[in-house]
Each structure stands twice: as structure tokens, then as C-alpha cells.
Amino acid sequence: MSDRCDSRAEATDVIAPDGRVTVAVITRDRSAEMLRTLDALTALPERPPVIVVDNSSDDATLRVLRGHPSAARVVRPRRNTGALGRNIAVLRARTPYVAFSDDDSWWSPGALRKAADLLDAHPRLGLLAARTLVGPDRYEDPINAVLAASPLPCAPDLPGRPVLGFLACACVVRRDAFLGAGGYHPLLFFGGEETLLAYDLAADGWGVTYEPSLTARHHPEPGGRGGRSHLLLRNEVLTLLLRRPLPVALRAVARLVTAASAGEPGARLALREVLARLPAALARREALPPDVESAARLLDGRPCAEGRGAP
């Protein structure tokens, strides 16, 4: 990795508030986790504004949010919006940059200030993916190594390592770039939705990079939430159908058919849902520009972390 690719933002002891970054949080039926996350975000030296999109099916989370001493803005859609709740939060943000957290994740002190400084200094930078530390022991999320090993060539006008994937609860976006790219795609709803957004940002000319000097914390439930394996399989195929050449997408469909025939976990449900969404995916197909398709091909076949997209 070149010196430029291995750049690190300088540490800072400045503790004054910084109003350049809003933190957008989506949550659903996890009031205790939401309380811990809100406590952590409120304690940040940057004192970021926080917008919470509450997709909950009961009022417990709403009571926690309304009873918290922070000034978090709460948006409660009439239905579960999944990852699209992040789009709702970004639309309501009034800062140039937006950081994302889930109800079980937050940011390390100083990370949002570093992100804002990098985005200020690099006008083409659209998204920064952070290093993610997991649990109270702060072990490295496997996605960190995947992103750090991205083979994409460095860009002289961007910091960090260029990538075409990231972890949704550990990234900071330029608000205008995110909205211009359409945010998270409604066809995917939730699960492995990051790669499509990375494609769309890159297609619009924005840089997407991994910068390990930025740190996010993630405290997932032991064993994670169940019932997601089919969503990751489904959305991987839908992403290819929406943006990649048809031969690439059809090979993925064939692999899913084979997996479903073999009884692999989640594959049959994923295939049914892909077929149900196939007309909409084909209607919304937009081929990637040649340079982005070349980058995507360079990443094809590389390992992913928990199905969360290519590097």
C-alpha cells in the first residue's frame, strides 16, 4: 500500500463542539440498545445533532427517546422503512455531512471531527468508511481487513483506500452526494444494501474510501439478529441485476437457483423474492459507467465480510 493510501488523519485533543456532522440512527424494537447508543452519541465531544428514525412496532423505544436528556430529533414513519430510514434522516439533516449509526453502534470521540476535516479537504470525497471495533473487547470487524486490502488504485485527490463497499453503521457521507445518488435503494429495503450505494456514488463521480483513522464502535447482539441470510442472498443478486452486465447478473441468479435446489439456508426464500422483484429490477436497470464497471470487475470474486458487499 502506498504512503498516500496509508494516510492517517492526525489525532486531535480539541474538544469544542463541531456542527458539521449529523448522526442518523435507525432503530426497531431495541429500546435498551437505543438508550446505550444515545448515551454514547450524546457524550461525544463534537456534540453532533442526532436524528433517530424509529421503525419500531411498539412504543417502548419512543418512550426511551422522549425521556432521554439529549436533544435527538425523532422521526417515526407509519411503517417499517428498513434501510430507507437513513434516507429519511438525511433529508432532514441540516449539516453538510451525515454519519450513520444503528441502534447498536456509535462513534469514537473525535472521529466525526476527523471525518468532517477530510470531507472539507477533499471536495470529490462522497463517503468515508470507518474502521469498526466490535464489542467491549474492541476486536476488529472482519470487514476492516477486507476493505484495507482493496485492490482499487489510489486516487491522488482522495484520502484512504478506494473501495466499493462499506459497513452501513460505520460510514460518513457528504449529504449532497448521498441525496444525488438517491440514497439507499427501495428495492433492497434492508440487508447488504451498501454495495449498490457505493456503485451509485462512484457512478456519479464521487470517491468512496476506507479510512482506518476513523473509528466506529459496534455492539451487536450475541449471534446477531436471525432471519437475515436470505436478505443478503436476495440483495446481492438484485444489486447485480440493477447495475451490472446481464451475463454477470444471470450467473448470480443461476448460482442462487443451484443453492436453492441444494437446500442451502435461506436460498429458496431469496430466490422467490428475487423472482418477485425481477420485473422492477429490470425496469430500473442502469449500467455502470465503464470505469466503475472495471473497478467492480476487479473486485469480483474477492472475499466479503458477512455478505456486506465487495471492498
Side-chain angles (χ1 to χ4, degrees), residues 127 152 163-166 181 183-184 188 192-208 235-245 248 286-289 291-301 304 309-311:
L127 184 148
L152 299 182
V163 292
L164 282 178
F166 56 94
Y184 288 101
L188 304 189
E193 66 273 13
E194 297 94 339
T195 297
L196 183 54
L197 176 59
Y199 283 169
D200 289 346
L201 286 167
D204 284 349
W206 295 104
V208 179
N235 287 346
E236 178 184 3
V237 174
L238 289 174
T239 295
L240 298 177
L241 286 166
L242 284 161
R243 295 291 181 268
R244 303 294 303 279
V248 174
E286 293 184 28
L288 296 174
D291 60 327
V292 182
E293 174 58 28
S294 294
R297 285 183 179 275
L298 188 60
L299 295 169
D300 283 345
C304 300

Side-chain angles (χ1 to χ4, degrees), residues 30 33 36-37 102-106 217-221:
R30 294 203 289 190
E33 291 85 349
R36 179 180 59 189
T37 291
D102 287 346
D103 50 23
D104 59 0
S105 69
W106 55 89
R217 301 287 308 282
H218 188 200
H219 283 231
E221 299 174 11

